[in-house]
Amino acid sequence: MTPVQLYVLAGVLLCGLGFAGFLLTSHLLRKLMAFNIMGSGTFLLLVGLAQPNNTPDPVPQALVLTGIVVALAATALALVLMRRWYHLSGRTDLQGGPGD
Amino acid sequence: MKLLLVLIAAVVLTVVLGQTAWQILAQPTPVDLRELVAEAMPDSGVAHPITAVLLNFRSYDTLLEIGVLVVAGMAGLSMRAVAPLEAPAMRTSDTLLQALLRWFVPFLLVLSAYLLWAGSDRSGGAFQAGAVLGATGVLLRLGGVPLDFLRPGLMLRLGLVLGFAVFLLVAVMGAIRGDMFLAYPQEWAGLLIVVIEAALTLSIAMVLVGLFAVAPAQATERDWPSREGKR
């Protein structure tokens, strides 16, 4: 197995794991973590696929670099939203709301 | 039942995705972007291909991306209910952290500046530098340093939009000169990229620290009794 195939396999597995975790967990924090695992899988797939002959391609690397920073900011925003939600409703999942 | 369905869906997704990726691997690439980038490198104004892609060849993506970051930062800031800073109960007074801060903060500031400078000819650049600078700010906040510029006000707003504003200004200047939107004049490309990257670094760090700073300690006075009741 070449390193490229290993990256691709790991990326695909991370995507599958994240997807299952995202749907199975109900705690918002876990959902967020699962979603980030899925995102990491996508990044790994994107960078891993784009290096035929073991020389990396700068274009997907630049895309993933911006993607990582955006994912980080989006995660931070999601955490702020979650804390606000918890603050308002006292819940860590999305069943029901403050009105219940 | 739900567990079974989700597991089946996850396995199907994994297999289909894996098969698609495998087929992509087996095919020869129709266009080799590496060659295109290598050919255009002399015009880019920098010596590192990833920086050239980020801030010259695909700078439109990067411009929109810093726009997304600014929006995320503003959304986070608008979400806070009360002034979140110095809730004294939330401060850390860990002596180890305080001692480490004195070592780490200057080191991290230098590291961030180095990463920014290194981006022109080796791995590094605005995003890495911004992430390190943001982490420095988070560390300072954890150590209980007030960081007054994070209060809602002119400094925070300026810091958030600086990167986007400088980038947009350079982009529009190109259009005003009669060139294309986002086209840099050839002889100025290197300098402009450094200026944009410095502004981007500050803004990225500001967004990250800002989001971190609004997340904790949102409790108002009336929440304290109920909080203590939970403990």
Side-chain angles (χ1 to χ4, degrees), chain A residues 8-97:
Chain A
V8 169
L9 202 64
V12 168
L13 282 180
L14 280 179
C15 278
L17 261 178
F19 179 73
F22 183 66
L23 292 181
L24 283 177
T25 52
S26 64
H27 197 296
L28 285 174
L29 197 58
R30 290 188 188 170
K31 270 194 196 293
L32 182 66
M33 282 162 75
F35 198 73
N36 268 309
I37 288 175
M38 226 169 136
S40 304
T42 317
F43 293 147
L44 191 58
L45 205 58
L46 200 53
V47 172
L49 270 178
Q51 42 182 338
N53 319 325
N54 288 326
T55 38
D57 185 338
V59 177
Q61 293 216 353
L63 287 180
V64 167
L65 188 59
T66 53
I68 289 172
V69 178
V70 168
L72 181 63
T75 305
L77 179 60
L79 284 173
V80 172
L81 285 173
M82 267 178 217
R83 287 194 61 103
R84 189 89 184 98
W85 171 245
Y86 177 70
H87 188 72
L88 287 174
S89 68
R91 302 183 65 110
T92 56
D93 54 19
L94 281 179
Q95 261 97 54

Side-chain angles (χ1 to χ4, degrees), chain A residues 16 19-21 23-24, chain B residues 1-17:
Chain A
F19 179 73
L23 292 181
L24 283 177
Chain B
M1 191 61 201
K2 187 194 167 195
L3 178 73
L4 195 68
L5 275 179
V6 170
L7 283 183
I8 290 172
V11 169
V12 167
L13 176 91
T14 312
V15 169
V16 171
L17 194 63

